[in-house]
Amino acid sequence: MLRVKFVPQNREIVVENGENLLEVARKAEIFIDAPCNGNGVCGKCKVKILEGKIDTEKSRHIKDEEWNEGYILACNSKVIEDVVIEIPSNASSAMHGMKIEDLSGKREHEIFEKSKQKLSENGMEFKTYVKKDFIKLDPPTLDDNISDFERIKRHLRNHLGYNQVFCRLPMLRKISSLIREADFEVTITHIPRGEGKTTIINMEKGNTTDRLYGVALDIGTTSVAACLVDLYGGTLVAKASSGNAQIKYGADVINRIIYSTRGNGLEELNNAIINETINPLLRKMYKDSGISKDEVVSFIAAGNTTMSHLFLGVYPDYLRMEPYIPAFVKSPFIKASELEIAVNSETFIYLVPSVASYVGGDITAGVLASGIWASDENILFIDLGTNGEIVFGNREFLMTCACSAGPAFEGGEISCGMRAAGGAIEEVKIERDTYEPKISVIGDEKPAGICGSGIIDLICEMMLSGLIDRRGKLVKGLGTSRVRFDEHGIGEYVIVFKEEYKLEKDIAITEVDIDNFIRAKAAIYSGVNTLLSGLGMDFTMIDKIYIAGGIGNSLDIGNSIKIGMLPDIEQDKISYIGNSSLMGCYLTLMSEDARHKLEEVANHMTYVELSVEPGYMDEFVSACFLPHTDIEKFPSVEQLLRR
Amino acid sequence: MLRVKFVPQNREIVVENGENLLEVARKAEIFIDAPCNGNGVCGKCKVKILEGKIDTEKSRHIKDEEWNEGYILACNSKVIEDVVIEIPSNASSAMHGMKIEDLSGKREHEIFEKSKQKLSENGMEFKTYVKKDFIKLDPPTLDDNISDFERIKRHLRNHLGYNQVFCRLPMLRKISSLIREADFEVTITHIPRGEGKTTIINMEKGNTTDRLYGVALDIGTTSVAACLVDLYGGTLVAKASSGNAQIKYGADVINRIIYSTRGNGLEELNNAIINETINPLLRKMYKDSGISKDEVVSFIAAGNTTMSHLFLGVYPDYLRMEPYIPAFVKSPFIKASELEIAVNSETFIYLVPSVASYVGGDITAGVLASGIWASDENILFIDLGTNGEIVFGNREFLMTCACSAGPAFEGGEISCGMRAAGGAIEEVKIERDTYEPKISVIGDEKPAGICGSGIIDLICEMMLSGLIDRRGKLVKGLGTSRVRFDEHGIGEYVIVFKEEYKLEKDIAITEVDIDNFIRAKAAIYSGVNTLLSGLGMDFTMIDKIYIAGGIGNSLDIGNSIKIGMLPDIEQDKISYIGNSSLMGCYLTLMSEDARHKLEEVANHMTYVELSVEPGYMDEFVSACFLPHTDIEKFPSVEQLLRR
């Protein structure tokens, strides 16, 4: 048995000879970012040996200088003797101080009020499907000796008009002791379902009819956001968000699906989302609000189709393999106890229905929240998260597709990329004369990397300042030390020199990174173009564009057009609407009618599989340029570049 | 840590200083009969110290001679050093070779055919509620890429007319891999519930529509009987029975209820019935028949109200305390996985509804099987098990009550009593001149004790031969060594001298035992009497008496009348119908209509609480005589006694 010690956490763990260092760190609950899931591809799991030897190989991600200092990739290293390992701050930073959109801002409040209004304009009530009633039972006697459950049923029949009352075994087990402790005065929480039927899901001593709570939850591939809601008034009682703990098994859905196929992979991923992510968020909210787990009797969650599968523990591998088939789009009836979610064990877990393999419940919820379904105008909805999903339509029709944009908008596949967390460069300007950058960083921290909105700014500014050409290649001979080329001739631009902030290394974007990002933005643009062309429409027919998702509200709309990610239309038609998935869940929590609308939306969305759409690949190739091969499609940018 | 070794099992267990010896035996899975649940009352947990010392006290159940040989009661002994303990054969014999009525006999077959006929005469179909269908799905393509579950739903809608198809999470988790392994040709097991709705509970590769199985189960306080049934033809594929493993926690329902209130008592009792009794029976039947657990998709169980509570893990203590209230009479919807019963995890566990605290689902099932509900004649149904329950009625009305007869009919509260297992004396005759008994013993074994039917014979024969008077007291001066009196003047009659069979001690019935038994039979008689008087009826209006339950088919009807347990009517009106509870479950398994009838029967039975019935106590006291204080009520016995 060997000892592995991690600093600065000072955590020690005993392992077998030959164990993989990344696995060891996971066992020790040391978070190391490993977006590629230990394939040695991303180079993000870099750690430093302080004492002892490790069986490892030099990777292309380790520079000679770093190698000499003891840097290795945890994923391709085996423990062969006692070691002390240092976890560099940036390797574990990604999960801390993450900037996650929730519903507490002014903008969100406005969107919520607007959505609510849209619902009521369309004849939908703002009423939750869970009810509470305070009942005073007649105590049993020798002459009136029916069973406890019959007594409750009799009361509900005679006083509230329910002639069929159900409950499940765990509820039944509680009834007898509880009604006696409460002197036969209890509050029941129940779910009426028409025709005089209702199901009791909770019972409390005394009169607690003023307390009724629910949870709305957005399960993102990268981050998870939750809010605890008072179901009477809709007040946000508490909120919480964090990274998705599944990140350690891979940054994007494809790597997670691959991980799920190995050994206990599916269980580990299910455990990571439920026990390591969602339940800690719930417990934090209970602590913040003083509300107890058992009082939470409604639960609505949304996620993309892969997240939905992993949340339910359903094998997702057929999502990844042609013809890309989900096991389900609409989840069956599930009780909280079946998934061990920390709400009342009898609570019904409602997962927002997906549309297809790569258009999930998060998009359905987003469409509900954004109100496209009720709009006379043509609205384009773009979710810029770990992938990119698009919906276009109005009250008459809804078309949707998924773009394989990858995780670039969240810093993935970019050597200096990171998520929108503390230390991420989220905005960039470049001096036209000197090529010197001006950056703004999330939180009061040293820069550690660059997030999606920062990359958009950076690439736009590099293009406008002439640092790169329209193919994304760095221009030589500009006379700045920030541009440099390696022995293979691959260029990079240094955004931050390590000396400026005493970093371990420079923060630089390479031509490879730029190329990766251009392909991501091209996927979005060509997806929109293909969807509209298929309808015989063009960009002039778009009345509004809503951007949702993890890209965050630092997104510069103008720059997004300039690099050719968004079509060249009037900027005031475009707005960022935040976490529309969470918003949709919140609305669904508050209104049973909204839930029916949600199901209708999911059923009526027409899914377009881009990969089989004629012309899509040509569109994509043409868009792999700044802003586009055909500059005439971006007249405003053409003008700007001409200057 | 101390070592306790048990012989002849040769099992050794390590325990703490001071642990209770009965508990230690349970931990070591050594079965010791302890009907009184360790209160030192029954004296049945007698064991012998072979080596070492034990902290114990002499009990009134240990004779001086036995005490000197090392006999102690396990329940009042503590381990204080390493010991070797011998378990006498009779202490653990009660659970082996138990004679349990099942459905395989000729009589049962006749009753079954008659019940079936009655159902069909009353317009009820013999059709189970679970269905199997073989389906061939269209394999998915890029153009036909709906989810796997939608694909199944589409097929069932288009080909079988179900427009709403449900399943639960564990089923959903299996679908995707299973349909692919089966090349999209699968058999679904489902439960249609009208209006085009159905719920899928199982899915198998290929065409398995010819295999559909269910289990019927009778959960007795003392013994449990099960049968595995082919749901197509009703064939009994396998059967199994054993003692109820809860016996170690107490012989009767009251002791079990008391045990359930202590520490983890409820869990232990629930575990004893499910994991130590029912699941082993199921596994035995699977082994015998070659049918697998997952193929069993229907499950019907019946038990008395306490057994029903313990089976579901519902706290039963309010059953015991005035006003004697059950938590439920009709159980909620329960899946097999919720109770960890070894059938298909999605199988619906149907527990036959009870009527009241002391009239359980076993009686409801018995009433269904006996056909009282369809009879023009007045039928009296008596279940002689651990207690005694009575139903009287016809197709117009059904009255029921529970008699607190205790466990005497199963050998409880009788010093030499035992259950109808191997070694039990089940029939007795006594020579009128010599007072010598002739016995017949169950199985090819030495006599070990006397069971219910044997006790009835014995007391009847003792009365007729003049060994006892009508109060049950032994007559002095008869000149037989079989009658003897102790220092307190309490008499006993020796049925078997230990020398005859090389037993550890004589088998003898004491005046205390006789008194206990007389009170049990009086409870039955006065219960019947009170029930009929309440209706303004008398015994002449009884057209038939059916005896059911654990008393067994060795019951001598004539002797039962002679001792005053049954009313003095024509013997050919009275018959033993065996395990009518199991029979009722079997019928319910085979016919959904029978299940509806069962619920109707449970709802319509009028429960009479004897303890509040005026005149009941007087009736009971008058019946505590052989055959009755008022001999005129037993004219045939009066004649016999006069001779």
Side-chain angles (χ1 to χ4, degrees):
Chain A
M1 301 306 279
L2 307 172
R3 286 168 186 282
V4 180
K5 185 174 174 178
F6 294 98
V7 291
Q9 292 85 351
N10 271 324
R11 207 167 296 157
E12 200 169 284
I13 182 170
V14 173
V15 303
E16 306 268 353
N17 192 353
E19 278 194 62
N20 177 285
L21 186 59
L22 185 59
E23 298 291 333
V24 168
R26 282 171 184 168
K27 272 194 212 165
E29 294 183 12
I30 298 289
F31 183 82
I32 299 182
D33 200 11
C36 80
N37 185 28
N39 291 318
V41 175
C42 73
K44 301 230 164 159
C45 63
K46 214 178 278 178
V47 299
K48 190 175 172 181
I49 313 173
L50 295 186
E51 286 173 33
K53 269 188 192 153
I54 278 277
D55 175 5
T56 188
E57 270 175 42
K58 189 168 180 303
S59 136
R60 64 186 168 90
H61 297 285
I62 310 280
K63 291 185 185 152
D64 291 343
E65 184 191 342
E66 291 176 326
W67 181 252
N68 296 334
E69 286 172 13
Y71 280 98
I72 55 168
L73 291 191
C75 72
N76 73 353
S77 302
K78 284 179 191 166
V79 179
I80 47 168
E81 59 175 58
D82 291 1
V83 281
V84 179
I85 301 292
E86 184 182 67
I87 308 295
S89 52
N90 64 332
S92 63
S93 69
M95 295 289 285
H96 304 297
M98 198 180 275
K99 205 174 159 186
I100 299 168
E101 300 299 321
D102 57 38
L103 303 181
S104 53
K106 189 164 163 265
R107 183 192 57 232
E108 282 76 12
H109 185 72
E110 279 167 20
I111 295 171
F112 179 68
E113 287 301 323
K114 224 158 102 186
S115 305
K116 201 170 150 179
Q117 198 189 323
K118 250 178 215 148
L119 288 172
S120 81
E121 278 169 15
N122 284 271
M124 279 174 260
E125 250 190 306
F126 230 60
K127 214 182 84 188
T128 175
Y129 72 111
V130 185
K131 272 199 77 178
K132 263 193 169 184
D133 278 295
F134 175 57
I135 58 175
K136 294 183 178 191
L137 299 165
D138 299 322
T141 63
L142 277 174
D143 293 322
D144 175 20
N145 56 5
I146 57 169
S147 79
D148 292 330
F149 189 47
E150 300 298 318
R151 184 169 305 275
I152 291 164
K153 288 204 265 190
R154 184 177 69 186
H155 187 102
L156 296 187
R157 187 172 54 243
N158 294 346
H159 293 80
L160 299 170
Y162 296 106
N163 49 44
Q164 282 194 69
V165 178
F166 305 89
C167 81
R168 297 297 302 271
L169 183 57
M171 188 71 247
L172 183 68
R173 285 177 174 159
K174 285 179 205 160
I175 287 176
S176 295
S177 299
L178 200 137
I179 58 175
R180 284 171 180 78
E181 285 166 25
D183 283 330
F184 299 93
E185 300 193 354
V186 292
T187 299
I188 57 159
T189 311
H190 60 114
I191 305 180
R193 46 188 164 109
E195 302 164 18
K197 293 180 186 173
T198 199
T199 302
I200 299 177
I201 60 164
N202 198 26
M203 193 176 284
E204 295 164 308
K205 285 181 228 174
N207 189 340
T208 63
T209 45
D210 58 334
R211 298 175 69 85
L212 194 66
Y213 301 98
V215 162
L217 182 78
D218 168 50
I219 308 171
T221 309
T222 304
S223 59
V224 176
C227 52
L228 179 57
V229 180
D230 181 335
L231 294 180
Y232 285 121
T235 320
L236 274 187
V237 181
K239 61 198 179 70
S241 57
S242 77
N244 182 334
Q246 291 177 336
I247 286 171
K248 60 190 168 197
Y249 303 117
D252 57 28
V253 297
I254 297 301
N255 273 301
R256 305 246 180 109
I257 292 175
I258 292 171
Y259 191 83
S260 78
T261 65
R262 297 184 195 151
N264 292 324
L266 180 56
E267 271 171 60
E268 288 173 52
L269 285 160
N270 180 256
N271 184 58
I273 184 62
I274 290 175
N275 291 312
E276 297 174 21
T277 310
I278 295 171
N279 285 345
L281 292 179
L282 294 175
R283 282 191 284 266
K284 183 188 177 297
M285 295 196 294
Y286 301 151
K287 209 178 149 197
D288 291 352
S289 63
I291 287 161
S292 85
K293 159 180 177 291
D294 286 340
E295 295 182 289
V296 177
V297 290
S298 192
F299 187 98
I300 317 272
N304 64 47
T305 312
T306 303
M307 289 305 110
S308 296
H309 278 59
L310 297 177
F311 174 67
L312 298 193
V314 173
Y315 190 66
D317 201 32
Y318 306 107
L319 287 171
R320 185 175 65 99
M321 298 192 295
E322 204 181 306
Y324 319 114
I325 305 295
F328 67 98
V329 286
K330 189 165 157 27
S331 85
F333 174 85
I334 297 169
K335 289 203 313 179
S337 58
E338 289 183 80
L339 290 172
E340 294 179 11
I341 293 173
V343 295
N344 187 301
S345 59
E346 296 290 296
T347 297
F348 170 35
I349 299 300
Y350 183 77
L351 186 59
V352 178
S354 300
V355 175
S357 283
Y358 294 98
V359 177
D362 51 347
I363 303 305
T364 310
V367 167
L368 178 79
S370 63
I372 314 178
W373 53 274
S375 166
D376 292 319
E377 294 179 311
N378 293 327
I379 296 179
L380 176 68
F381 170 92
I382 305 177
D383 189 293
L384 285 182
T386 308
N387 242 310
E389 296 96 350
I390 298 169
V391 179
F392 180 69
N394 54 38
R395 66 186 316 143
E396 305 290 333
F397 74 93
L398 291 166
M399 306 290 289
T400 183
C401 68
C403 313
S404 46
F409 302 118
E410 291 179 328
E413 292 177 4
I414 307 291
S415 62
C416 60
M418 67 180 286
R419 300 178 193 98
I425 300 168
E426 60 172 349
E427 288 174 33
V428 183
K429 291 242 173 260
I430 295 177
E431 284 285 327
R432 296 289 182 269
D433 308 328
T434 59
Y435 306 113
E436 285 300 302
K438 270 193 187 167
I439 59 171
S440 90
V441 175
I442 299 176
D444 192 14
E445 295 183 38
K446 298 199 287 193
I450 184 163
C451 69
S453 63
I455 298 170
I456 290 172
D457 283 4
L458 177 63
I459 290 177
C460 180
E461 288 287 296
M462 286 172 78
M463 174 183 78
L464 294 180
S465 63
L467 273 163
I468 48 173
D469 62 20
R470 287 181 50 214
R471 291 171 308 147
K473 298 299 166 200
L474 278 155
V475 176
K476 292 186 182 178
L478 290 178
T480 167
S481 61
R482 289 192 179 265
V483 176
R484 61 196 185 197
F485 294 85
D486 71 6
E487 61 271 34
H488 307 292
I490 296 174
E492 66 177 7
Y493 171 77
V494 181
I495 310 147
V496 178
F497 284 110
K498 62 182 175 184
E499 294 77 14
E500 296 177 63
Y501 291 92
K502 292 187 183 160
L503 302 179
E504 285 138 351
K505 57 171 193 161
D506 298 340
I507 298 175
I509 188 163
T510 68
E511 285 175 342
V512 176
D513 297 334
I514 295 170
D515 197 47
N516 284 341
F517 194 82
I518 287 176
R519 277 187 286 118
K521 73 93 192 166
I524 300 294
Y525 180 85
S526 51
V528 174
N529 200 0
T530 305
L531 202 64
L532 268 73
S533 306
L535 292 163
M537 296 174 85
D538 62 40
F539 297 146
T540 61
M541 291 161 175
I542 302 174
D543 295 309
K544 264 183 195 150
I545 298 182
Y546 290 147
I547 312 279
I551 186 85
N553 62 5
S554 300
L555 175 75
D556 186 308
I557 301 289
N559 289 350
S560 304
I561 294 174
K562 285 177 200 125
I563 63 165
M565 179 172 83
L566 298 180
D568 193 1
I569 65 171
E570 295 92 316
Q571 279 192 40
D572 60 4
K573 287 184 175 175
I574 308 176
S575 51
Y576 178 68
I577 60 165
N579 192 336
S580 61
S581 165
L582 186 59
M583 179 71 77
C585 291
Y586 180 21
L587 288 167
T588 309
L589 202 58
M590 291 306 300
S591 162
E592 197 181 354
D593 287 342
R595 185 158 57 92
H596 297 143
K597 177 51 71 181
L598 199 62
E599 310 242 328
E600 200 185 299
V601 162
N603 282 336
H604 291 169
M605 257 193 264
T606 307
Y607 174 68
V608 176
E609 174 59 50
L610 288 182
S611 65
V612 295
E613 206 60 16
Y616 172 71
M617 270 317 289
D618 292 342
E619 284 293 342
F620 173 71
V621 172
S622 302
C624 283
F625 222 67
L626 291 173
H628 195 274
T629 312
D630 186 2
I631 188 76
E632 282 167 24
K633 292 193 167 165
F634 286 82
S636 77
V637 189
E638 190 183 10
Q639 239 176 346
L640 212 63
L641 287 177
R642 211 176 285 158
R643 261 186 258 157
Chain B
M1 303 305 282
L2 307 171
R3 287 170 184 281
V4 180
K5 185 176 174 177
F6 294 98
V7 293
Q9 293 85 352
N10 272 326
R11 208 166 295 159
E12 201 169 283
I13 182 170
V14 174
V15 305
E16 307 266 354
N17 194 350
E19 277 194 64
N20 178 286
L21 186 59
L22 186 58
E23 299 290 336
V24 168
R26 282 171 185 170
K27 272 194 212 165
E29 294 182 12
I30 298 289
F31 183 83
I32 299 182
D33 201 12
C36 80
N37 185 27
N39 291 319
V41 174
C42 72
K44 300 231 165 161
C45 63
K46 213 178 279 180
V47 297
K48 188 176 175 182
I49 313 174
L50 296 187
E51 287 173 31
K53 271 186 189 153
I54 278 278
D55 176 6
T56 188
E57 270 176 39
K58 189 168 179 307
S59 133
R60 63 186 168 89
H61 296 285
I62 309 278
K63 294 188 182 148
D64 290 342
E65 184 189 342
E66 292 176 324
W67 180 251
N68 295 336
E69 287 172 15
Y71 281 96
I72 56 169
L73 290 189
C75 74
N76 73 352
S77 302
K78 283 180 192 166
V79 180
I80 48 168
E81 60 175 58
D82 291 0
V83 280
V84 178
I85 302 292
E86 184 182 67
I87 308 296
S89 53
N90 65 330
S92 63
S93 72
M95 294 289 283
H96 304 295
M98 197 178 275
K99 204 173 160 185
I100 298 166
E101 299 299 322
D102 57 38
L103 304 181
S104 53
K106 189 162 163 266
R107 182 192 59 231
E108 282 77 12
H109 184 72
E110 279 166 19
I111 295 170
F112 179 69
E113 286 302 322
K114 223 158 104 185
S115 305
K116 202 170 147 177
Q117 197 190 325
K118 249 178 214 148
L119 287 172
S120 80
E121 278 168 16
N122 283 271
M124 281 173 259
E125 249 191 303
F126 230 61
K127 216 183 80 188
T128 175
Y129 74 112
V130 185
K131 271 198 78 180
K132 262 193 171 184
D133 279 295
F134 175 56
I135 58 174
K136 294 183 179 190
L137 298 166
D138 299 320
T141 63
L142 277 174
D143 292 323
D144 176 19
N145 57 4
I146 57 170
S147 79
D148 293 329
F149 190 47
E150 301 297 319
R151 185 169 304 275
I152 291 163
K153 288 204 264 190
R154 185 177 68 186
H155 187 100
L156 296 186
R157 187 171 56 242
N158 294 345
H159 294 81
L160 299 170
Y162 296 106
N163 48 45
Q164 283 193 69
V165 177
F166 305 89
C167 81
R168 297 297 302 272
L169 183 56
M171 189 69 248
L172 183 67
R173 285 176 175 160
K174 285 179 205 161
I175 288 178
S176 295
S177 299
L178 200 137
I179 57 174
R180 284 173 181 78
E181 283 167 25
D183 284 329
F184 298 94
E185 300 194 354
V186 293
T187 299
I188 57 160
T189 312
H190 60 115
I191 306 179
R193 46 185 164 111
E195 301 167 19
K197 292 179 188 173
T198 198
T199 302
I200 299 177
I201 61 164
N202 198 24
M203 193 175 285
E204 294 164 308
K205 285 182 230 174
N207 189 339
T208 63
T209 45
D210 57 334
R211 298 176 69 85
L212 194 67
Y213 301 99
V215 162
L217 182 79
D218 168 51
I219 308 171
T221 308
T222 303
S223 60
V224 176
C227 52
L228 179 58
V229 180
D230 180 336
L231 295 179
Y232 285 122
T235 321
L236 274 186
V237 181
K239 62 199 181 67
S241 57
S242 77
N244 182 334
Q246 290 176 337
I247 285 169
K248 59 190 167 197
Y249 303 117
D252 58 26
V253 297
I254 297 302
N255 273 303
R256 305 249 179 108
I257 293 174
I258 293 170
Y259 191 84
S260 78
T261 65
R262 298 183 192 150
N264 293 324
L266 180 55
E267 271 169 62
E268 288 173 54
L269 285 160
N270 179 256
N271 184 59
I273 185 61
I274 289 175
N275 290 312
E276 297 173 23
T277 311
I278 296 171
N279 286 345
L281 292 180
L282 294 175
R283 282 190 285 264
K284 183 186 177 300
M285 295 196 293
Y286 300 151
K287 210 180 146 194
D288 291 351
S289 63
I291 286 161
S292 85
K293 155 180 180 294
D294 286 340
E295 297 182 287
V296 178
V297 290
S298 191
F299 187 100
I300 317 273
N304 64 46
T305 312
T306 303
M307 288 305 111
S308 297
H309 279 59
L310 297 178
F311 175 66
L312 298 192
V314 173
Y315 190 68
D317 202 33
Y318 307 107
L319 286 171
R320 186 175 65 100
M321 300 190 294
E322 203 182 305
Y324 319 115
I325 304 298
F328 66 97
V329 286
K330 188 166 156 28
S331 85
F333 173 84
I334 297 169
K335 288 202 311 176
S337 59
E338 290 183 80
L339 289 172
E340 293 177 15
I341 292 173
V343 294
N344 186 300
S345 57
E346 296 290 296
T347 297
F348 170 35
I349 300 299
Y350 183 79
L351 186 60
V352 178
S354 301
V355 176
S357 282
Y358 294 98
V359 177
D362 51 347
I363 303 306
T364 310
V367 168
L368 178 79
S370 63
I372 314 177
W373 53 272
S375 166
D376 292 318
E377 295 180 310
N378 293 328
I379 297 179
L380 177 66
F381 170 94
I382 304 178
D383 189 293
L384 284 182
T386 308
N387 241 310
E389 298 94 350
I390 298 169
V391 179
F392 180 69
N394 54 38
R395 65 185 318 140
E396 305 289 332
F397 74 93
L398 292 166
M399 305 290 288
T400 184
C401 68
C403 313
S404 45
F409 302 117
E410 291 178 328
E413 291 177 4
I414 307 292
S415 63
C416 60
M418 67 180 284
R419 301 180 192 95
I425 299 167
E426 60 172 350
E427 289 174 32
V428 183
K429 292 241 172 264
I430 295 176
E431 283 285 328
R432 297 290 180 270
D433 308 330
T434 59
Y435 305 112
E436 284 301 301
K438 269 195 192 165
I439 59 172
S440 89
V441 175
I442 298 177
D444 192 15
E445 294 183 38
K446 299 198 287 194
I450 185 162
C451 67
S453 62
I455 299 169
I456 290 172
D457 282 4
L458 177 63
I459 290 177
C460 180
E461 288 287 296
M462 287 172 79
M463 175 182 80
L464 294 180
S465 63
L467 274 164
I468 50 175
D469 62 20
R470 287 182 50 216
R471 292 171 306 145
K473 298 298 167 203
L474 278 156
V475 176
K476 292 186 183 178
L478 291 177
T480 167
S481 61
R482 290 192 179 265
V483 175
R484 60 195 186 198
F485 294 85
D486 71 7
E487 60 271 35
H488 308 291
I490 295 175
E492 65 178 8
Y493 171 76
V494 181
I495 310 145
V496 177
F497 284 111
K498 60 180 174 184
E499 294 77 13
E500 297 176 63
Y501 292 92
K502 293 188 181 156
L503 303 179
E504 285 138 351
K505 57 172 194 159
D506 299 339
I507 300 176
I509 189 163
T510 68
E511 285 175 343
V512 175
D513 297 332
I514 296 169
D515 197 46
N516 284 341
F517 194 84
I518 286 176
R519 277 189 285 118
K521 73 95 192 166
I524 299 293
Y525 180 86
S526 53
V528 174
N529 200 2
T530 305
L531 202 63
L532 267 74
S533 307
L535 291 163
M537 297 174 85
D538 62 42
F539 297 145
T540 61
M541 291 162 176
I542 300 174
D543 296 308
K544 266 185 194 144
I545 298 183
Y546 290 147
I547 313 279
I551 186 85
N553 62 5
S554 300
L555 176 74
D556 186 307
I557 301 289
N559 289 350
S560 304
I561 294 174
K562 286 174 200 127
I563 63 166
M565 180 172 83
L566 299 179
D568 194 0
I569 66 172
E570 295 92 315
Q571 278 191 41
D572 59 7
K573 288 185 176 175
I574 308 177
S575 52
Y576 177 67
I577 60 165
N579 191 337
S580 61
S581 165
L582 185 60
M583 179 72 78
C585 291
Y586 181 22
L587 289 167
T588 310
L589 202 57
M590 292 306 300
S591 163
E592 195 181 355
D593 287 342
R595 184 158 57 94
H596 297 142
K597 177 52 70 181
L598 199 64
E599 310 243 326
E600 200 185 299
V601 161
N603 282 334
H604 292 169
M605 257 194 263
T606 307
Y607 176 69
V608 175
E609 173 59 52
L610 288 181
S611 64
V612 296
E613 209 57 18
Y616 172 71
M617 270 317 289
D618 293 342
E619 284 292 346
F620 172 73
V621 171
S622 302
C624 285
F625 222 68
L626 291 172
H628 194 276
T629 314
D630 185 2
I631 190 74
E632 284 167 22
K633 292 196 167 166
F634 287 81
S636 75
V637 189
E638 190 183 11
Q639 238 176 347
L640 212 64
L641 286 176
R642 213 175 283 154
R643 262 188 257 156

